[in-house]
Amino acid sequence: MKIFWLSFLLVMISILAGWFWSYIFIQEVYTPLNSQWSQGSIPMSVPDAPESMRDIENNIAWIAEALGPSVVSIIINRDIVIYRSDPWWFFQEPNATVRRQVWGGSGFFVREDGLILTNKHVIQDTQSDYTVILSDGREFEVEVIATDPLNDIAIIKIDAPGESFPVPEIIEETSDVRIGSFSIAIGNAL
């Protein structure tokens, strides 16, 4: 019973101390700071805001239209085995092989001769064939040139001599990028 009253006393002291310090904070810190802020005497540094959300939307739409032709869709096709089974689904045996689209990804041109940068996980299957579809609907078979599994990057190439493909221009120097910088991801996977 003695422990109960001791615990009760400690809880009551904690509650009273919390009320006391809250009162002191409101009287000594919050109220003067709030009155200075409402009078405009506290300088605030806020970055310039855009004119409107419509300006941001228009800029994103313009960037997507400008860079869209350099973005490609990568289709992964593979032979799929179809199995036949008995009426009870107990025994299954291969019946046929069908070529199907099993995956999709996105990439973009880095050189006018058809060199494309994509992710390694998009072209990781060595048993598959890869087809690139351009923004104008043309389709090309591609060859895997190089992969970097650590950075999840791969380079593939369209073999189309004499053909010139759109390459995106650099919009902004990467040295200006910082935490919180605005970025846009453009792709057309699947």
Side-chain angles (χ1 to χ4, degrees):
M1 189 61 132
K2 191 175 191 181
I3 293 175
F4 171 77
W5 287 110
L6 184 60
S7 300
F8 178 75
L9 183 62
L10 287 174
V11 168
M12 293 308 290
I13 290 172
S14 298
I15 291 172
L16 290 174
W19 283 343
F20 174 74
W21 288 112
S22 297
Y23 176 78
I24 295 297
F25 174 77
I26 289 171
Q27 293 302 315
E28 300 298 323
V29 177
Y30 179 75
T31 304
L33 187 62
N34 193 26
S35 66
Q36 288 176 352
W37 191 3
S38 63
Q39 295 170 4
S41 60
I42 297 177
M44 295 187 65
S45 174
V46 178
D48 293 335
E51 293 292 324
S52 70
M53 290 304 285
R54 181 71 63 197
D55 291 342
I56 293 173
E57 180 183 356
N58 289 336
N59 287 336
I60 293 171
W62 177 83
I63 290 170
E65 287 172 9
L67 298 180
S70 64
V71 177
V72 299
S73 180
I74 302 167
I75 305 300
I76 297 95
N77 296 306
R78 183 179 185 159
D79 289 333
I80 304 293
V81 177
I82 297 176
Y83 291 91
R84 176 180 56 188
S85 71
D86 60 14
W88 300 280
W89 293 87
F90 189 68
F91 297 105
Q92 292 190 2
E93 61 184 46
N95 186 29
T97 303
V98 178
R99 191 123 190 113
R100 293 228 173 112
Q101 177 181 339
V102 294
W103 190 252
S106 191
F108 63 94
F109 289 107
V110 292
R111 277 197 336 216
E112 292 179 354
D113 65 348
L115 209 62
I116 298 168
L117 184 67
T118 187
N119 293 106
K120 196 269 182 204
H121 69 263
V122 172
I123 53 96
Q124 67 187 353
D125 187 4
T126 58
Q127 303 298 317
S128 297
D129 293 329
Y130 303 100
T131 304
V132 168
I133 302 174
L134 306 184
S135 61
D136 61 7
R138 292 184 295 160
E139 296 184 12
F140 294 93
E141 297 295 319
V142 293
E143 175 189 359
V144 177
I145 302 297
T147 61
D148 180 1
L150 184 63
N151 293 308
D152 191 27
I153 294 176
I155 296 178
I156 58 178
K157 185 169 186 330
I158 295 174
D159 187 23
E163 189 85 37
S164 181
F165 300 99
V167 177
E169 296 181 23
I170 295 179
I171 295 175
E172 188 173 328
E173 289 292 325
T174 56
S175 61
D176 295 338
V177 176
R178 60 178 195 219
I179 294 174
S181 291
F182 194 75
S183 64
I184 301 170
I186 303 172
N188 58 357
L190 302 176

